[in-house]
């Protein structure tokens, strides 16, 4: 059974540009979570989608947004990139409002 | 507010020695408890989880954790550490009905030969 898959593995963008990261959850999982892991800052919760709707949002500005598609895959968009957005972005999935979340390998975003 | 505390930012142990990583949580009821491991540059892998029942939980890679309600703790243990165990370990809490899981700040494990 395939795990959570994320793409791209690495992404380099210039300050002010937009970045799009993608995630496919484990088959059968309808909840998708996004986390940011910046150097020295631990795991910061970004967004939670369930059944196509945004259910909860962490303490991030509106330029961090996303959506969940009918097949439960998800994308994270970061607009007006800033240098401090450079981080590992982790996607995780679970059954709907499930208790155990499973992570993908992450997408490295570097803003220069 | 709910919180998870991992008191040790980093720990160094010798290969073959035993390991205990500490985790304490603050929550009104018994939450669901998890340990994850993250190798450098990779995602998080679930080591083990506790929902209810036996308070000693066995996980993958020879790890175990013990839930102690009186101490609000869920410490991770391994009897003999291998060099490949060097990684960052995250304790996490969740609860029934969903909502986001809360992660501790992580403990970096270094293994010396």
């Amino acid at each position: 059974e395939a795990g959570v898959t994320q793409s791209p593995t690495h992404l380099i963008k210039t300050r002010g540009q937009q970045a799009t990261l993608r995630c496919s959850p484990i088959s059968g999982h309808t909840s998708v979570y996004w986390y940011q892991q910046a150097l020295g800052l631990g795991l910061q919760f970004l967004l939670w989608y369930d059944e196509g709707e945004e259910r909860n949002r962490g303490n991030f500005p509106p330029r961090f947004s996303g959506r969940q598609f009918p097949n439960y895959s998800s994308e994270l968009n970061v607009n007006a990139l800033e240098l401090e957005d450079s981080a590992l972005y982790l996607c995780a999935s679970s059954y709907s409002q499930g208790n155990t979340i499973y992570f993908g390998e992450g997408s490295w975003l570097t803003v220069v | 507010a709910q919180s998870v505390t991992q008191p040790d930012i980093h720990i160094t142990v010798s290969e073959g020695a035993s390991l205990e990583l500490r985790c304490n949580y603050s929550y009104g009821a018994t939450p669901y408890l998890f340990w994850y491991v993250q190798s450098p540059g990779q995602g998080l892998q679930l080591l083990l989880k506790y929902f209810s029942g036996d308070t000693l939980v066995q996980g993958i890679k020879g790890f175990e954790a013990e839930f102690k309600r009186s101490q609000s703790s869920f410490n991770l243990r391994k009897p003999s550490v291998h060099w490949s165990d060097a990684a960052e370990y995250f304790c996490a809490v969740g609860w029934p009905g969903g909502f986001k899981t809360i992660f501790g700040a992580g403990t970096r494990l270094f293994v010396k030969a």
Side-chain angles (χ1 to χ4, degrees):
Chain A
E1 179 181 305
V4 178
T5 58
Q6 293 187 242
S7 64
T9 305
H10 294 88
L11 188 62
I12 300 175
K13 290 288 188 178
T14 303
R15 190 170 52 184
Q17 285 186 317
Q18 178 196 40
T20 298
L21 308 177
R22 296 178 177 84
C23 173
S24 292
I26 292 172
S27 178
H29 286 186
T30 60
S31 276
V32 171
Y33 310 80
W34 288 95
Y35 289 83
Q36 182 197 66
Q37 189 177 31
L39 192 62
L41 293 180
L43 280 161
Q44 304 292 320
F45 168 72
L46 265 166
L47 291 159
W48 170 30
Y49 292 95
D50 184 54
E51 299 284 355
E53 294 190 15
E54 182 179 306
R55 300 293 185 179
N56 197 266
R57 181 182 185 84
N59 188 26
F60 280 84
R63 59 189 185 83
F64 286 83
S65 64
R67 55 180 171 166
Q68 186 177 34
F69 299 98
N71 66 353
Y72 305 114
S73 67
S74 175
E75 68 179 28
L76 173 69
N77 296 294
V78 188
N79 295 317
L81 284 166
E82 300 178 1
L83 296 178
E84 52 264 36
D85 296 333
S86 296
L88 177 66
Y89 288 83
L90 292 163
C91 176
S93 74
S94 74
Y95 291 108
S96 180
Q97 300 195 38
N99 305 308
T100 305
I101 65 174
Y102 298 88
F103 285 85
E105 292 298 313
S107 292
W108 284 98
L109 173 62
T110 302
V111 183
V112 298
Chain B
Q2 298 88 350
S3 65
V4 181
T5 302
Q6 293 182 246
D8 305 303
I9 297 174
H10 54 81
I11 283 181
T12 300
V13 298
S14 297
E15 191 169 17
S18 64
L19 169 71
E20 183 169 28
L21 301 181
R22 297 183 291 164
C23 174
N24 293 95
Y25 65 90
S26 172
Y27 184 59
T30 300
Y32 295 163
L33 298 159
F34 308 87
W35 276 100
Y36 290 84
V37 60
Q38 184 180 33
S39 297
Q42 297 186 9
L44 277 70
Q45 181 182 24
L46 180 66
L47 281 176
L48 48 79
K49 58 186 178 183
Y50 172 78
F51 286 176
S52 64
D54 192 348
T55 57
L56 186 62
V57 181
Q58 301 298 318
I60 63 172
K61 302 185 179 187
F63 285 92
E64 66 178 26
E66 185 173 15
F67 168 59
K68 293 185 177 179
R69 186 189 308 273
S70 61
Q71 299 175 20
S72 296
S73 69
F74 189 57
N75 294 348
L76 182 71
R77 301 194 295 245
K78 187 170 185 178
S80 177
V81 169
H82 187 262
W83 64 266
S84 60
D85 294 324
E88 186 145 26
Y89 292 79
F90 292 91
C91 181
V93 299
W95 45 88
F99 207 69
K100 62 181 177 70
T101 301
I102 295 177
F103 288 84
T107 298
R108 171 76 64 178
L109 173 65
F110 297 95
V111 180
K112 59 181 181 180

Coordinates of all heavy atoms in Angstrom, one line a residue, chain A residues 47-104:
Chain A
L47 N -2.4 23.6 8.1 CA -3.8 23.5 7.6 C -4.2 22.1 7.7 O -3.4 21.1 7.7 CB -3.8 23.9 6.1 CG -3.6 25.3 5.7 CD1 -3.2 25.4 4.2 CD2 -4.9 26.1 5.9
W48 N -5.6 21.9 7.9 CA -6.2 20.6 7.9 C -7.4 20.6 7.0 O -8.3 21.5 7.1 CB -6.6 20.3 9.4 CG -7.5 19.1 9.5 CD1 -7.5 17.9 8.7 CD2 -8.5 18.8 10.5 NE1 -8.4 17.1 9.1 CE2 -9.0 17.6 10.2 CE3 -8.9 19.6 11.6 CZ2 -10.0 17.0 11.0 CZ3 -10.0 19.0 12.4 CH2 -10.5 17.8 12.1
Y49 N -7.4 19.7 6.1 CA -8.5 19.5 5.2 C -9.2 18.2 5.4 O -8.5 17.1 5.7 CB -8.1 19.6 3.7 CG -7.6 20.9 3.3 CD1 -6.3 21.2 3.4 CD2 -8.5 21.9 2.9 CE1 -5.9 22.5 3.0 CE2 -8.1 23.2 2.6 CZ -6.8 23.5 2.6 OH -6.3 24.7 2.3
D50 N -10.5 18.2 5.4 CA -11.2 16.9 5.5 C -12.5 17.0 4.6 O -13.2 17.9 4.7 CB -11.7 16.7 7.0 CG -12.4 15.4 7.2 OD1 -11.8 14.3 6.8 OD2 -13.5 15.4 7.7
E51 N -12.6 15.9 3.9 CA -13.8 15.8 3.0 C -13.9 17.1 2.1 O -15.0 17.6 1.8 CB -15.1 15.6 3.8 CG -15.1 14.3 4.6 CD -15.3 13.1 3.7 OE1 -15.6 13.2 2.5 OE2 -15.2 12.0 4.2
G52 N -12.8 17.6 1.6 CA -12.8 18.7 0.7 C -12.9 20.1 1.3 O -12.9 21.1 0.6
E53 N -13.0 20.2 2.6 CA -13.1 21.5 3.3 C -12.0 21.8 4.2 O -11.5 20.8 4.8 CB -14.5 21.5 4.0 CG -15.7 21.5 3.1 CD -17.0 21.8 3.9 OE1 -16.9 22.3 5.0 OE2 -18.1 21.4 3.4
E54 N -11.7 23.0 4.3 CA -10.7 23.4 5.3 C -11.3 23.4 6.7 O -12.3 24.0 7.0 CB -10.2 24.8 5.0 CG -9.1 25.3 6.0 CD -8.6 26.7 5.7 OE1 -8.2 27.0 4.5 OE2 -8.6 27.6 6.6
R55 N -10.7 22.6 7.6 CA -11.3 22.4 8.9 C -10.6 23.2 10.0 O -11.2 23.6 11.0 CB -11.2 20.9 9.3 CG -11.9 20.0 8.4 CD -13.5 20.2 8.4 NE -14.1 19.2 7.6 CZ -15.4 19.1 7.4 NH1 -16.2 19.9 8.1 NH2 -15.9 18.1 6.7
N56 N -9.4 23.5 9.8 CA -8.6 24.2 10.8 C -7.4 24.8 10.2 O -6.8 24.3 9.2 CB -8.3 23.3 12.0 CG -7.9 24.1 13.2 OD1 -6.7 24.4 13.5 ND2 -8.8 24.5 14.0
R57 N -6.9 25.9 10.8 CA -5.8 26.6 10.2 C -4.9 27.0 11.4 O -5.3 27.4 12.4 CB -6.3 27.8 9.5 CG -5.2 28.7 8.9 CD -5.8 29.9 8.2 NE -4.8 30.6 7.5 CZ -4.4 30.3 6.3 NH1 -5.0 29.4 5.6 NH2 -3.4 31.0 5.7
G58 N -3.6 26.9 11.2 CA -2.6 27.3 12.2 C -2.4 28.8 12.1 O -3.0 29.5 11.3
N59 N -1.4 29.3 12.9 CA -1.2 30.7 12.9 C -0.2 31.1 11.8 O 1.0 31.4 12.0 CB -0.5 31.0 14.3 CG -0.4 32.5 14.5 OD1 -1.1 33.3 14.0 ND2 0.5 32.9 15.4
F60 N -0.7 31.1 10.6 CA 0.0 31.5 9.4 C -0.7 32.6 8.7 O -2.0 32.6 8.7 CB 0.3 30.3 8.5 CG 1.4 29.4 9.0 CD1 1.2 28.5 10.0 CD2 2.7 29.6 8.5 CE1 2.3 27.7 10.5 CE2 3.8 28.8 9.0 CZ 3.5 27.9 9.9
P61 N 0.0 33.4 8.0 CA -0.7 34.5 7.2 C -1.5 33.9 6.1 O -1.3 32.8 5.6 CB 0.4 35.4 6.7 CG 1.6 34.5 6.7 CD 1.4 33.6 7.8
P62 N -2.5 34.7 5.5 CA -3.4 34.2 4.5 C -2.7 33.8 3.2 O -3.2 33.1 2.3 CB -4.3 35.4 4.2 CG -4.3 36.2 5.5 CD -2.9 36.0 6.0
R63 N -1.4 34.3 3.0 CA -0.7 33.9 1.8 C -0.4 32.4 1.7 O 0.0 31.9 0.7 CB 0.5 34.8 1.6 CG 1.5 34.7 2.7 CD 2.6 35.8 2.5 NE 3.7 35.6 3.6 CZ 4.6 34.7 3.4 NH1 4.8 34.0 2.3 NH2 5.5 34.6 4.4
F64 N -0.6 31.8 2.9 CA -0.5 30.3 2.9 C -1.9 29.8 2.7 O -2.8 30.1 3.6 CB 0.0 29.8 4.2 CG 1.5 30.0 4.4 CD1 2.0 31.2 4.8 CD2 2.4 29.0 4.1 CE1 3.4 31.4 5.0 CE2 3.8 29.1 4.3 CZ 4.3 30.4 4.7
S65 N -2.2 29.1 1.6 CA -3.5 28.6 1.4 C -3.4 27.2 0.7 O -2.3 26.8 0.4 CB -4.3 29.6 0.5 OG -3.7 29.6 -0.8
G66 N -4.5 26.6 0.6 CA -4.5 25.3 -0.1 C -5.9 24.9 -0.4 O -6.9 25.6 -0.3
R67 N -6.0 23.7 -0.9 CA -7.3 23.1 -1.2 C -7.2 21.6 -1.2 O -6.1 21.0 -1.3 CB -7.8 23.6 -2.5 CG -6.9 23.4 -3.7 CD -7.6 24.0 -5.0 NE -6.6 24.0 -6.1 CZ -7.0 24.2 -7.4 NH1 -8.3 24.4 -7.6 NH2 -6.1 24.2 -8.3
Q68 N -8.3 20.9 -1.2 CA -8.4 19.5 -1.3 C -9.3 19.1 -2.4 O -10.4 19.7 -2.5 CB -8.9 18.9 0.0 CG -8.8 17.3 0.0 CD -9.2 16.7 1.3 OE1 -10.1 17.2 2.0 NE2 -8.6 15.6 1.7
F69 N -8.9 18.2 -3.2 CA -9.6 17.9 -4.4 C -10.6 16.7 -4.1 O -10.4 16.0 -3.1 CB -8.6 17.5 -5.5 CG -7.7 18.6 -5.9 CD1 -6.4 18.7 -5.4 CD2 -8.1 19.6 -6.8 CE1 -5.6 19.8 -5.7 CE2 -7.3 20.7 -7.1 CZ -6.0 20.7 -6.6
P70 N -11.5 16.4 -5.1 CA -12.4 15.3 -4.8 C -11.8 14.0 -4.6 O -12.4 13.1 -3.9 CB -13.3 15.3 -6.1 CG -13.2 16.8 -6.6 CD -11.9 17.2 -6.3
N71 N -10.6 13.8 -5.1 CA -9.9 12.5 -4.9 C -9.1 12.5 -3.6 O -8.3 11.6 -3.3 CB -9.0 12.1 -6.0 CG -7.8 13.1 -6.2 OD1 -7.8 14.1 -5.5 ND2 -6.9 12.8 -7.1
Y72 N -9.3 13.6 -2.8 CA -8.7 13.8 -1.5 C -7.2 14.2 -1.5 O -6.6 14.5 -0.5 CB -8.8 12.6 -0.5 CG -10.3 12.2 -0.4 CD1 -10.7 11.0 -0.9 CD2 -11.2 13.1 0.2 CE1 -12.1 10.7 -0.8 CE2 -12.5 12.7 0.4 CZ -13.0 11.5 -0.1 OH -14.3 11.2 0.0
S73 N -6.6 14.3 -2.7 CA -5.3 14.9 -2.8 C -5.4 16.4 -2.5 O -6.5 17.0 -2.4 CB -4.7 14.7 -4.2 OG -5.4 15.4 -5.1
S74 N -4.3 17.0 -2.2 CA -4.3 18.4 -1.7 C -3.1 19.1 -2.3 O -2.1 18.5 -2.7 CB -4.2 18.4 -0.2 OG -4.1 19.7 0.3
E75 N -3.2 20.4 -2.4 CA -2.1 21.2 -2.7 C -2.0 22.4 -1.7 O -3.0 22.9 -1.2 CB -2.1 21.7 -4.1 CG -3.2 22.7 -4.5 CD -3.2 23.1 -5.9 OE1 -2.7 22.4 -6.8 OE2 -3.7 24.3 -6.2
L76 N -0.8 22.8 -1.5 CA -0.5 23.9 -0.6 C 0.1 25.0 -1.5 O 1.1 24.8 -2.2 CB 0.5 23.5 0.5 CG 1.0 24.7 1.4 CD1 -0.1 25.2 2.3 CD2 2.2 24.2 2.2
N77 N -0.4 26.2 -1.4 CA 0.1 27.3 -2.2 C 0.6 28.4 -1.2 O 0.0 28.7 -0.2 CB -1.1 28.0 -3.0 CG -1.6 27.1 -4.0 OD1 -0.9 26.7 -5.0 ND2 -2.8 26.6 -3.9
V78 N 1.8 28.8 -1.5 CA 2.4 29.9 -0.7 C 2.7 31.1 -1.7 O 3.5 30.9 -2.6 CB 3.7 29.5 -0.1 CG1 4.2 30.6 0.9 CG2 3.5 28.2 0.7
N79 N 2.0 32.2 -1.5 CA 2.1 33.3 -2.3 C 3.1 34.3 -1.7 O 3.4 34.3 -0.5 CB 0.8 34.0 -2.5 CG -0.2 33.2 -3.2 OD1 0.1 32.6 -4.2 ND2 -1.4 33.1 -2.7
A80 N 3.6 35.2 -2.6 CA 4.5 36.3 -2.2 C 5.6 35.7 -1.2 O 5.7 36.2 -0.1 CB 3.7 37.4 -1.5
L81 N 6.3 34.8 -1.8 CA 7.3 34.1 -0.9 C 8.3 35.0 -0.3 O 8.8 36.0 -0.9 CB 8.1 33.1 -1.8 CG 7.3 31.8 -2.2 CD1 8.0 31.1 -3.3 CD2 7.1 30.9 -0.9
E82 N 8.6 34.7 1.0 CA 9.6 35.4 1.8 C 10.7 34.4 2.1 O 10.5 33.2 2.1 CB 9.0 36.0 3.0 CG 7.8 36.9 2.8 CD 7.2 37.4 4.0 OE1 7.6 37.1 5.1 OE2 6.2 38.2 3.9
L83 N 11.9 35.0 2.4 CA 13.1 34.1 2.7 C 12.8 33.2 3.8 O 13.2 32.0 3.8 CB 14.3 35.0 3.0 CG 14.8 35.9 1.9 CD1 16.0 36.7 2.4 CD2 15.2 35.1 0.7
E84 N 12.0 33.6 4.8 CA 11.7 32.8 6.0 C 10.7 31.7 5.7 O 10.4 30.8 6.6 CB 11.3 33.6 7.2 CG 10.1 34.5 6.9 CD 10.6 35.9 6.5 OE1 11.7 36.1 5.9 OE2 9.9 36.9 6.9
D85 N 10.2 31.6 4.5 CA 9.3 30.5 4.1 C 10.1 29.2 3.8 O 9.6 28.2 3.6 CB 8.4 30.9 2.9 CG 7.5 32.0 3.3 OD1 7.1 32.1 4.5 OD2 7.1 32.7 2.3
S86 N 11.4 29.4 3.7 CA 12.3 28.3 3.4 C 12.2 27.2 4.5 O 12.4 27.5 5.7 CB 13.8 28.7 3.3 OG 13.9 29.6 2.2
A87 N 11.8 26.0 4.1 CA 11.5 25.0 5.2 C 11.2 23.7 4.5 O 11.0 23.6 3.3 CB 10.3 25.4 6.0
L88 N 11.0 22.7 5.3 CA 10.5 21.4 4.9 C 9.0 21.4 5.1 O 8.6 21.7 6.2 CB 11.2 20.2 5.6 CG 10.7 18.8 5.3 CD1 11.0 18.4 3.9 CD2 11.3 17.8 6.3
Y89 N 8.2 21.2 4.1 CA 6.8 21.2 4.2 C 6.3 19.7 4.2 O 6.6 19.0 3.2 CB 6.1 22.0 3.1 CG 6.3 23.4 3.3 CD1 7.5 24.1 2.9 CD2 5.4 24.2 4.0 CE1 7.7 25.4 3.1 CE2 5.6 25.6 4.2 CZ 6.8 26.1 3.8 OH 7.0 27.5 4.0
L90 N 5.7 19.3 5.3 CA 5.3 17.9 5.5 C 3.8 17.8 5.3 O 3.0 18.6 5.9 CB 5.7 17.4 6.8 CG 7.2 17.3 7.1 CD1 7.5 17.2 8.5 CD2 7.7 16.0 6.3
C91 N 3.4 16.8 4.6 CA 2.0 16.5 4.4 C 1.7 15.2 5.2 O 2.6 14.3 5.2 CB 1.6 16.3 3.0 SG -0.1 15.8 2.7
A92 N 0.6 15.1 5.8 CA 0.2 13.9 6.5 C -1.3 13.6 6.2 O -2.0 14.5 5.8 CB 0.4 14.1 8.0
S93 N -1.7 12.4 6.4 CA -3.1 12.0 6.2 C -3.6 11.1 7.2 O -2.8 10.4 8.0 CB -3.3 11.4 4.8 OG -2.8 10.1 4.7
S94 N -4.9 11.0 7.3 CA -5.6 10.1 8.3 C -7.0 9.8 7.8 O -7.4 10.5 6.8 CB -5.7 10.7 9.7 OG -6.7 11.7 9.7
Y95 N -7.6 8.8 8.4 CA -9.0 8.6 8.1 C -9.8 9.9 8.6 O -9.2 10.7 9.3 CB -9.5 7.4 8.8 CG -9.0 6.1 8.3 CD1 -8.1 5.3 9.0 CD2 -9.4 5.7 7.0 CE1 -7.6 4.2 8.4 CE2 -8.9 4.5 6.5 CZ -8.0 3.7 7.2 OH -7.5 2.6 6.7
S96 N -11.0 10.1 8.1 CA -11.7 11.3 8.5 C -11.7 11.5 10.0 O -12.2 10.6 10.7 CB -13.1 11.2 7.9 OG -13.9 12.3 8.2
Q97 N -11.2 12.6 10.4 CA -11.1 12.9 11.8 C -10.5 11.7 12.6 O -10.8 11.5 13.7 CB -12.4 13.3 12.4 CG -13.0 14.5 11.7 CD -14.2 15.1 12.4 OE1 -14.2 15.2 13.6 NE2 -15.2 15.6 11.7
G98 N -9.6 11.0 11.9 CA -8.9 9.9 12.6 C -7.9 10.3 13.6 O -7.5 11.5 13.7
N99 N -7.4 9.4 14.3 CA -6.6 9.7 15.5 C -5.1 9.5 15.2 O -4.3 10.0 15.9 CB -6.9 8.8 16.7 CG -8.4 8.9 17.0 OD1 -8.9 10.0 17.2 ND2 -9.1 7.8 17.0
T100 N -4.7 8.8 14.1 CA -3.4 8.6 13.8 C -3.0 9.2 12.4 O -3.7 8.9 11.5 CB -3.1 7.1 13.7 OG1 -3.5 6.5 15.0 CG2 -1.6 6.8 13.5
I101 N -2.0 10.0 12.4 CA -1.7 10.6 11.1 C -0.3 10.1 10.6 O 0.5 9.7 11.4 CB -1.6 12.2 11.2 CG1 -0.5 12.6 12.2 CG2 -2.9 12.7 11.7 CD1 -0.3 14.2 12.2
Y102 N -0.2 9.9 9.3 CA 0.9 9.3 8.7 C 1.5 10.4 7.7 O 0.8 11.0 7.0 CB 0.5 8.1 7.9 CG -0.1 7.0 8.8 CD1 -1.4 7.0 9.1 CD2 0.8 6.0 9.3 CE1 -1.9 6.0 10.0 CE2 0.3 5.1 10.2 CZ -1.1 5.0 10.5 OH -1.6 4.1 11.3
F103 N 2.8 10.5 7.8 CA 3.5 11.6 7.1 C 4.1 11.1 5.7 O 4.5 9.9 5.6 CB 4.6 12.1 7.9 CG 4.2 13.0 9.0 CD1 3.8 12.5 10.2 CD2 4.1 14.4 8.8 CE1 3.3 13.3 11.2 CE2 3.7 15.2 9.8 CZ 3.3 14.7 11.0
G104 N 4.2 12.0 4.8 CA 5.0 11.8 3.6 C 6.5 12.2 3.9 O 6.8 12.6 5.0

